[in-house]
Structures are given as C-alpha cells and as structure tokens.
Amino acid sequence: QVQLVESGGGVVQPGRSLKLSCGASGFTFSSFAIHWVRQAPGKGLEWVTVISHDGNKKHYADSVKGRFTISRDNSKNTVYLQMTSLRPEDTAMYYCARSTSGSPEYWGQGALVTVSS
Amino acid sequence: DIQMTQSPSSLSASVGDRVTITCRASQGIRNNLGWYQQKPGTAPKRLIYAASSLQSGVPSRFSGSGSGTEFTLTISSLQPEDFATYYCLHHNTYPPAFGPGTKVDIK
C-alpha cells in the first residue's frame, strides 16, 4: 500500500535551518510528483511546494520562496524540504503528499516544526 | 494568484441531513479542483478530484459538482463519521490554493 512518512521535525530557533524528509513506499516513486502542505496550529491548510516526478520542475508558495528548497532522490524514494531563515510563522505540521490527477492524493502523517527561541 | 473562498465557514447539522458546501475561485479554474476532509489530529483525506470524480473508497453519499469558478460538495445524508472540516483546493495554476475550510459539527 502507498505509504509516506515524514521525519526531521523539531524545535528550532528563528533564523536557523531544518531539513525534513519524506520517505515513500508502495508505489513507483519516480513516476509521481510530491507536494508539501503545512498547517499552523488551529489554522487551515497551506500549500508550500511541489517537485515533479523527475525533479526538473519545482514550484513554491510566495511565503517560502527563496527560503525553502525542495529536492528528491529517486534512488532513495525520498523527497526533502530544506528550510532556512525560519520564522515563527513557519511553525506548523508539515505534510508530504503524492500527487495524482494534479492534486495531493496520499498523505503522510506529518512532521511538526516549531520555530521558537 | 487565484484565491479560494468557501461558504459557510461552519455549519451545524444532524445525522441524516443533506449538507452543501460551496467553494468559489477568484478566476476560472476549469475543473481543476479537489475536496478534502480533515478530522482533528489527522492528515487530510481526498474525497473528490477533478471537481466531480469520487475518490476510490469514499462513500457515494459524497458528491462534487461545478466548473469554472463555482463548485459544491454535497453530503446527501450526513453520518456521524462525517463531522469534520472540509477544504477545497484548486490546482489549475501555480500556486495551488486551499479554501479556508468549512467546519461541520453536530447540531
């Protein structure tokens, strides 16, 4: 069965960096785009970024452009989200999700990122 | 960027009620819209894709309709497990955007 597992979350000080990983199994990883979506505590869903199946195309939300970088290693069935210059407003649960028919279909359980001094 | 709105922001309903949630896009998005259900402490679950296609495994009481700028999610007969927050998501252009959500709770 399709499975996505996020890791790497934690507490980090403002201005510092953190790297999330999204490990996938149960499908041909190299055939699917992967999204990251986040949700601040008590708030709605916010789309963050997406990477194409081959890693050649990437798109970002304006709120993270220039600070976050998405990448993937198809040999390891893993997508990464490198987050730099973190701000308190980046505090959220971060979900990775496999794209099907253009939108996130299968989701991981999430990784919590807290930006606080 | 395309903005999404939803109405109502919350509603109270009883088991067996017919529930309709509306999502509007600030410009035309064809049928590039999905609907998601989220329960507290869990990841979202896709219910509908391409505006009206039912996700595999999702009960047939859920249905979606619309195209262009106005879309609806209908639950034909609300069940206890349907009390949750519902979000629409457009993916017509980048960046995709979610609606602000509609919380459905028990009357």
Side-chain angles (χ1 to χ4, degrees), chain A residues 10-18 83 86 91 113-117:
Chain A
V11 180
V12 61
Q13 293 180 327
R16 303 297 290 266
S17 299
L18 197 66
M83 304 183 291
L86 282 162
T91 293
V113 173
T114 302
V115 184
S116 173
S117 53

Side-chain angles (χ1 to χ4, degrees), chain B:
Chain B
D1 296 355
I2 298 172
Q3 312 299 322
M4 307 300 293
T5 58
Q6 281 183 239
S7 60
S9 56
S10 65
L11 66 90
S12 295
S14 300
V15 172
D17 284 354
R18 182 181 181 88
V19 169
T20 299
I21 299 169
T22 298
C23 179
R24 290 185 175 87
S26 59
Q27 55 187 275
I29 59 170
R30 297 176 289 177
N31 70 335
N32 293 314
L33 184 111
W35 287 98
Y36 293 82
Q37 176 193 66
Q38 188 180 32
K39 298 179 181 179
T42 69
K45 172 185 175 182
R46 193 170 75 174
L47 303 174
I48 300 287
Y49 65 96
S52 60
S53 295
L54 189 67
Q55 180 75 26
S56 175
V58 172
S60 59
R61 63 181 179 272
F62 291 94
S63 64
S65 65
S67 184
T69 61
E70 187 158 331
F71 303 83
T72 59
L73 173 71
T74 300
I75 309 172
S76 60
S77 178
L78 198 66
Q79 298 302 300
E81 60 268 30
D82 301 337
F83 291 97
T85 301
Y86 294 84
Y87 297 92
C88 60
L89 167 70
H90 97 77
H91 56 91
N92 189 64
T93 54
Y94 287 104
F98 287 93
T102 296
K103 185 175 181 180
V104 177
D105 60 22
I106 302 171
K107 181 183 281 186

Side-chain angles (χ1 to χ4, degrees), chain A residues 37 39 43-47 50 59-62 95 100-105 107-108, chain B residues 1 34 36 38 42-46 49 55 87 89 91 94-100:
Chain A
V37 173
Q39 186 169 38
K43 303 298 184 182
L45 300 169
E46 180 187 12
W47 179 84
V50 66
H59 299 274
Y60 298 91
D62 286 346
Y95 298 100
T100 312
S101 303
S103 63
E105 180 184 12
W107 297 62
Chain B
D1 296 355
Y36 293 82
Q38 188 180 32
T42 69
K45 172 185 175 182
R46 193 170 75 174
Y49 65 96
Q55 180 75 26
Y87 297 92
L89 167 70
H91 56 91
Y94 287 104
F98 287 93

Side-chain angles (χ1 to χ4, degrees), chain A residues 7 9 11 16 22-24 28 30 35 45 49 65 67-68 75 80 82-83 108 110 112:
Chain A
S7 60
V11 180
R16 303 297 290 266
C22 171
T28 305
S30 59
H35 299 265
L45 300 169
T49 181
K65 202 172 292 183
R67 300 188 300 121
F68 289 14
S75 69
Y80 304 98
Q82 177 69 55
M83 304 183 291
L112 183 61

